[in-house]
Amino acid sequence: MTVKRISFLQDLLAFMGLEGRLHLEWISSAEAQKFVQVITDFTEKIRMLGPNPLRGRRGFQKAAELKAAVGLGKNLTIQHKVERVKNEC
Amino acid sequence: MNAEVKRWLEEGIVDLFLGYKAVMGHCLPHCFVKEKIEEVDDLIVGGSRYALEKIATHITASKPDIKIGMLARDCNQRALNVLYIWNQLNPDQIRTVNVNCCPSNLKEHGDCSYLEPQSAGIFKQQVGVDNTWRPGDLEDYDQSQRLSRWMYEFQKCIKCYGCRNICPVCFCRECSLEHPELVETGALPPEVPIFHLVRAVHMAGRCIDCGLCEDACPVDIPLRLLYRKVNEIVVDVFGYETGSTSAQSPFSIVGDKVTLAPKSLLSN
C-alpha cells in the first residue's frame, strides 16, 4: 500500500511541477552498501534539480511582513527576527 | 413527482424530503415535511444545484434514525454512493427521486446549472491555469512552468473554505485545514501550495467531480481540474473508480497485494 500511496503522491507532485523530489526505497538494516548508494544517488539528483523552488517563498514573505511591522515601529526585537529569517532564506 | 413525494411523506416512507423550491424567482434548497404538506406543490427540480446529500448528512449526524427522501441528479447519486461507503449515510434510510441530469447523445435537455467554467482571459492564459483545461493539457508545460502557473492560482486563495463547505463528500468532524497548528491563522494567502494539496489528497478516492467547489470559489481557482487529476491518478495507481463502485476507498485499506514496484531513481 505504501508504494501505491507514494506513487500517487509522486504523480501529484509531477502534475504540480515538483517532479523527482520524492523517492521511496526499501533498505534492510543489513544493506549498508545499498543505503549509501541510494542516499548518494538521491543527494546527487536533488543537487542537479537545484534548491526547492518553494523554499524561501514563505520566508521572504515573512521577512517582508516583519519589515513592514518594523516600519510601523511596533517592536524593536522584530529587527532581529528579520535578520534571522533573511539568513535562513 | 409532487404527488409521489406527498404520498411518501403522508405514508411515513420518509420523514422529510429535500428538494428545491422557487422563492422570489430563485431556486433554493428546501426541506419538505408532513406538517406542511401543502408546500410540496411548490417542489420543483429547477436548474440550480446544491449539495442536498450534504444537508442529509448533517441531519443524519444529529438524528441517526431519520428517513430522508431527496431529489438526486447523477452527481448527487455518486455523492450518495461515496457517503454510503464512508458510513455517513445508511442506504436503507435514503429514498431518492432521480431526475434528469447532464445532456448526452440520447437526450439533449438537462435540468442542471451545468457549472461550465468560463474560458480564461489573456493574462490568466499566460500565467495561470485555465479552468476549461483537462488534466492532460498541463503536460504541454515543463515542471517550472507548471509550478509557477499553479502557484499563481493558489496565491489568489482568500481561505474562505467555500470549496470545503459546499463539498458533498467533505464530512470530517475536525478539518485539518482548520487546525491552528497545521494552518497558520490570520495569514493570507494560506500556506500555498500545501493548503490546496492537503485538500487535493483528501479528495483522492472521494471527489465525485460535481464541480461545486470550483463554482463556489470566489477567485476561480481551477479546483475541479486539480481533483480530476487526483482521481485520474487514483484510477491509474489503485484501479479505483470513485463514485461508481461500492468498494471501500483504497485510502482506508491498510494492506494490499503489492502490484507495483517503487519508481527507480533514474526514471525521471
Side-chain angles (χ1 to χ4, degrees):
Chain A
M1 217 58 210
T2 309
V3 62
K4 287 188 176 177
R5 283 170 188 240
I6 295 290
S7 299
F8 165 80
L9 210 52
Q10 280 168 335
D11 287 355
L12 178 59
L13 289 175
F15 184 67
M16 291 296 309
L18 291 168
E19 196 169 17
R21 291 173 188 273
L22 179 64
H23 184 68
L24 173 71
E25 193 85 43
W26 270 269
I27 308 173
S28 144
S29 59
E31 295 176 306
Q33 276 291 298
K34 189 180 175 190
F35 180 76
V36 171
Q37 194 59 45
V38 168
I39 297 293
T40 314
D41 291 351
F42 194 53
T43 312
E44 197 47 48
K45 189 182 175 189
I46 291 294
R47 194 166 287 139
M48 296 274 283
L49 285 168
N52 177 4
L54 294 174
R55 188 175 186 273
R57 216 175 246 272
R58 194 73 180 165
F60 279 122
Q61 227 175 37
K62 274 209 176 120
E65 280 166 18
L66 288 171
K67 237 184 193 170
V70 171
L72 292 170
K74 272 187 183 165
N75 198 338
L76 274 173
T77 55
I78 291 177
Q79 189 65 46
H80 299 294
K81 282 189 192 165
V82 173
E83 293 306 323
R84 211 186 61 221
V85 174
K86 262 187 192 162
N87 292 339
E88 277 170 10
C89 295
Chain B
M1 178 180 77
N2 298 32
E4 182 73 3
V5 170
K6 256 187 192 171
R7 190 178 67 82
W8 282 10
L9 286 169
E10 271 165 357
E11 291 179 8
I13 297 171
V14 294
D15 297 320
L16 48 90
F17 189 88
L18 298 171
Y20 298 102
K21 187 181 165 188
V23 180
M24 316 273 278
H26 292 284
C27 179
L28 296 178
H30 189 80
C31 179
F32 298 92
V33 289
K34 194 180 175 183
E35 287 71 34
K36 289 188 180 173
I37 198 93
E38 70 281 356
E39 282 184 342
V40 178
D41 295 328
D42 300 330
L43 171 67
I44 52 165
V45 176
S48 304
R49 221 152 47 96
Y50 288 88
L52 293 176
E53 56 281 359
K54 181 151 196 160
I55 302 171
T57 312
H58 284 310
I59 296 171
T60 310
S62 56
K63 291 201 161 137
D65 297 326
I66 203 159
K67 285 173 287 183
I68 299 172
M70 57 174 270
L71 282 182
R73 297 189 167 90
D74 286 2
C75 49
N76 298 123
Q77 286 168 25
R78 293 198 301 274
L80 281 172
N81 208 352
V82 170
L83 292 168
Y84 296 154
I85 292 171
W86 288 90
N87 295 323
Q88 297 301 307
L89 288 173
N90 183 350
D92 301 334
Q93 286 164 236
I94 301 288
R95 286 286 289 261
T96 57
V97 174
N98 298 339
V99 291
N100 192 15
C101 187
C102 310
S104 68
N105 294 335
L106 295 173
K107 55 181 172 66
E108 283 175 3
H109 171 75
D111 290 317
C112 184
S113 53
Y114 300 119
L115 310 174
E116 282 291 326
Q118 286 180 336
S119 194
I122 298 164
F123 184 68
K124 186 164 164 156
Q125 271 175 7
Q126 280 172 352
V127 300
V129 179
D130 194 329
N131 294 41
T132 56
W133 279 351
R134 303 256 144 196
D137 293 344
L138 259 159
E139 276 157 27
D140 300 343
Y141 300 99
D142 64 13
Q143 292 288 312
S144 64
Q145 272 269 337
R146 285 187 209 178
L147 185 68
S148 72
R149 281 173 185 270
W150 277 114
M151 288 301 280
Y152 165 77
E153 295 296 337
F154 291 158
Q155 267 169 352
K156 295 188 291 185
C157 180
I158 57 166
K159 210 164 89 169
C160 66
Y161 291 102
C163 48
R164 183 204 60 182
N165 293 345
I166 195 72
C167 181
V169 291
C170 258
F171 50 73
C172 300
R173 198 172 281 249
E174 274 181 33
C175 181
S176 53
L177 293 178
E178 267 183 331
H179 198 291
E181 278 163 24
L182 299 176
V183 176
E184 196 182 346
T185 53
L188 281 181
E191 193 169 349
V192 287
I194 293 298
F195 186 86
H196 300 88
L197 289 187
V198 166
R199 214 183 111 74
V201 172
H202 288 188
M203 281 298 106
R206 277 204 214 182
C207 176
I208 43 92
D209 193 30
C210 64
L212 288 169
C213 48
E214 192 172 311
D215 195 49
C217 183
V219 291
D220 268 341
I221 301 173
L223 294 166
R224 195 178 189 179
L225 171 67
L226 180 63
Y227 304 148
R228 263 189 189 158
K229 176 64 188 181
V230 165
N231 271 323
E232 263 181 26
I233 305 173
V234 170
V235 172
D236 289 348
V237 175
F238 297 94
Y240 181 79
E241 303 255 2
T242 311
S244 53
T245 93
S246 55
Q248 279 288 330
S249 154
F251 286 89
S252 59
I253 299 165
V254 180
D256 194 12
K257 203 174 125 194
V258 175
T259 48
L260 270 177
K263 279 185 186 157
S264 110
L265 262 175
L266 303 169
S267 67
N268 42 49

